[in-house]
């Protein structure tokens, strides 16, 4: 049985990741609401979404490099207040330049929340499983929101959407108070095979991560528009996407349950290849059945492989610095994918996303293959680790 303190800590981790991921996971609805509410073009709406997400990546990288000297609790509380203010002001303005600044501010607040959670998770004994379980609950919350949005958006488009985001941050403040009030970074220990070049390993890992997330980010950013293009009604798209989030939750739970019981190579490399199959086929869907099937495969595999990506970074460097930087690169590349997708759709078509969505994860799988060959299978656990979720 888990103690009350551990349950509250786990809930705080879910809250931190939820606020950090809210913008990127809801990017399809943000883009759609901005297009419908303000009459923006696809490229302009994609730019606003990317501004927020790229800011998250850059700020998390700054945290990983030590530029932000706050405890996880301080970071999370500061971040949620900034994000809530930015979301509310976004709902109240129609000026593009101001919207851009506000989305950058929201990105900053989200980065602090997400950094606080990932720094704490990195100190756990089994980060792969912990991240899997945390993301499973986060996805469940996002699925409930996603299901309700098609009924909400017609009454206010971007005003309704961002007002909702602002309101959601209020109860989360109490949960974030349960994050550690001390620094949780461990002594830096690189777990690689003898004679391996650590800098080459890190470069290969980050390159693979960027290709994976930039590729799938192009598809995710426009997955709502892809569904509408097949003739599905907006309400049905919302239903299918909310069901897809439940499938994503199952993928994260699967990763959390399996962990590294059977090694890291198969779930990381094989998961990236299967993610490529799903993301490559979603944009060329021609009817509701093919759209639903490919989207479910895509979301399941992406949610399955992502815990292993961050968990691999945590095991390369047991200090937690690299895991934080890895999530920063993940968010940055994911946001870059939204901008690339906007340009591809505006100048070609939705079908053009298929090549990008397939080739990125396939190249990533090859680089992850090399990483797994260099990475050792460490048994060393930091002596002051937080108790693991499945301990």
């Amino acid at each position: 049985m888990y103690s009350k303190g551990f349950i509250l800590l786990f809930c705080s981790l879910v809250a931190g990741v939820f606020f950090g991921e809210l913008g990127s996971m809801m990017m399809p609805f943000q883009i759609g609401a901005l297009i419908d509410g303000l009459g923006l073009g696809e490229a302009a709406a994609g730019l606003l979404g990317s501004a927020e997400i790229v800011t998250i990546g850059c700020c998390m990288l700054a945290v990983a490099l030590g530029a932000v000297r706050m405890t996880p609790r301080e970071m999370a509380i500061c971040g949620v207040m900034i994000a809530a203010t930015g979301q509310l002001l976004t709902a109240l303005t129609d000026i593009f330049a101001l919207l851009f600044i506000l989305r950058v501010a929201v990105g900053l607040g989200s980065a602090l929340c997400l950094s606080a959670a990932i720094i704490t998770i990195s100190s756990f004994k089994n980060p792969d499983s912990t991240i899997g379980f945390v993301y499973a609950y986060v996805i469940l919350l996002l699925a409930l929101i996603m299901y309700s949005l098609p009924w909400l958006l017609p009454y206010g488009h971007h005003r309704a959407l961002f007002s909702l985001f602002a309101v959601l941050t209020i109860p989360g403040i109490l949960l974030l108070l349960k994050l550690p009030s001390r620094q949780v970074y461990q002594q830096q220990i690189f777990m690689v095979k003898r004679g391996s070049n650590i800098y080459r390993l890190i470069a290969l890992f980050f390159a693979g991560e960027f290709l994976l997330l930039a590729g799938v980010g192009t598809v995710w950013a426009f997955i709502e528009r892809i569904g509408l293009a097949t003739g599905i009604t907006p309400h049905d798209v919302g239903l299918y996407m909310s069901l897809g989030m439940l499938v994503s939750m199952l993928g994260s739970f699967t990763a959390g349950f399996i962990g590294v019981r059977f090694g890291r190579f198969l779930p990381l490399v094989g998961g990236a290849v299967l993610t490529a199959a799903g993301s490559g086929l979603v944009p060329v869907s021609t009817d509701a059945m093919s759209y639903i099937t490919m989207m479910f495969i895509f979301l399941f595999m992406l949610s399955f492989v992502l815990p292993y990506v961050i968990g691999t970074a945590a095991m390369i460097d047991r200090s937690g610095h690299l895991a934080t930087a890895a999530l920063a690169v993940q968010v940055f590349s994911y946001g870059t994918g939204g901008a690339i997708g906007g340009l591809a759709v505006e100048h070609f078509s939705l079908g053009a996303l298929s090549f990008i969505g397939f080739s990125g994860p396939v190249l990533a799988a090859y680089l992850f293959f090399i990483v797994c060959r260099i990475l050792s299978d460490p048994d060393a656990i930091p002596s002051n680790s937080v108790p693991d979720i499945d301990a």
Side-chain angles (χ1 to χ4, degrees):
M1 294 296 293
Y2 302 123
S3 66
K4 179 181 178 180
F6 181 77
I7 293 174
L8 290 174
L9 173 60
F10 180 77
C11 291
S12 69
L13 294 174
V14 172
V17 173
F18 174 79
F19 293 127
E21 296 281 11
L22 182 62
S24 58
M25 296 298 286
M26 291 294 167
M27 188 192 289
F29 289 101
Q30 289 193 38
I31 289 176
L34 289 167
I35 291 173
D36 296 334
L38 296 176
L40 298 178
E42 285 85 355
L47 178 62
L48 289 177
S50 292
E52 175 185 345
I53 297 176
V54 171
T55 299
I56 295 175
C58 292
C59 291
M60 289 195 67
L61 186 58
V63 172
L65 295 174
V68 179
R69 298 187 178 277
M70 291 189 287
T71 67
R73 182 185 300 174
E74 292 169 343
M75 275 196 289
I77 297 301
C78 181
V80 75
M81 297 301 294
I82 295 173
T85 303
Q87 301 285 19
L88 181 60
L89 293 178
T90 298
L92 300 176
T93 185
D94 299 333
I95 304 172
F96 182 83
L98 183 55
L99 284 170
F100 185 88
I101 295 172
L102 290 172
R103 299 325 294 168
V104 170
V106 171
L108 170 61
S110 300
L112 293 175
C113 289
L114 195 52
S115 296
I118 202 67
I119 286 171
T120 305
I121 293 173
S122 295
S123 68
F124 277 44
K125 183 173 65 176
N126 191 342
D128 305 82
S129 292
T130 304
I131 293 170
F133 285 124
V134 168
Y135 269 91
Y137 285 100
V138 169
I139 292 170
L140 175 60
L141 295 174
L142 293 171
L144 297 175
I145 297 171
M146 192 172 289
Y147 178 75
S148 65
L149 287 182
W151 279 267
L152 174 66
L153 292 181
Y155 296 99
H157 299 296
H158 76 290
R159 299 189 191 280
L161 179 68
F162 294 111
S163 294
L164 174 63
F165 289 173
V167 170
L168 288 174
T169 59
I170 297 174
I173 296 175
L174 296 177
L175 289 175
L176 294 175
L177 289 172
K178 299 300 180 180
L179 285 172
S181 58
R182 58 179 176 81
Q183 297 292 344
V184 293
Y185 279 132
Q186 314 295 333
Q187 181 181 1
Q188 196 166 43
I189 306 173
F190 293 113
M191 309 304 297
V192 296
K193 290 181 178 178
R194 186 182 300 275
S196 300
N197 187 317
I198 183 61
Y199 299 106
R200 176 175 178 266
L201 172 64
I202 293 174
L204 289 171
F205 172 80
F206 281 145
E209 186 182 28
F210 177 84
L211 290 169
L212 173 67
L213 272 298
V216 301
T218 60
V219 177
W220 174 248
F222 290 89
I223 200 166
E224 180 208 23
R225 297 284 142 166
I226 294 171
L228 296 176
T230 63
I232 303 173
T233 66
H235 289 289
D236 284 342
V237 170
L239 172 62
Y240 298 147
M241 290 183 66
S242 63
L243 292 175
M245 296 303 287
L246 296 178
V247 173
S248 295
M249 181 184 69
L250 180 59
S252 294
F253 264 125
T254 302
F257 178 76
I258 294 176
V260 289
R261 288 182 174 88
F262 307 104
R264 190 177 304 276
F265 173 83
L266 187 60
L268 182 61
V269 178
V273 171
L274 292 177
T275 300
S279 62
L281 291 173
V282 168
V284 294
S285 302
T286 57
D287 53 42
M289 183 57 66
S290 61
Y291 172 73
I292 295 169
T293 302
M294 291 303 103
M295 180 176 66
F296 283 5
I297 294 174
F298 166 55
L299 293 177
F300 178 90
M301 292 310 308
L302 180 60
S303 297
F304 174 81
V305 77
L306 285 182
Y308 289 100
V309 174
I310 302 301
T312 298
M315 295 308 294
I316 292 175
D317 170 22
R318 292 302 301 170
S319 74
H321 289 80
L322 190 62
T324 307
L327 197 54
V329 172
Q330 177 176 303
V331 173
F332 175 80
S333 54
Y334 197 72
T336 301
I340 295 173
L343 292 173
V345 173
E346 191 163 287
H347 292 286
F348 298 98
S349 66
L350 287 169
L353 301 177
S354 179
F355 174 76
I356 305 172
F358 178 78
S359 59
V362 166
L363 292 173
Y366 173 72
L367 295 180
F368 288 151
F369 168 77
I370 300 175
V371 168
C372 287
R373 293 187 63 182
I374 299 175
L375 181 64
S376 65
D377 295 322
D379 295 322
I381 299 298
S383 59
N384 58 335
S385 290
V386 177
D388 194 12
I389 186 173
D390 56 1

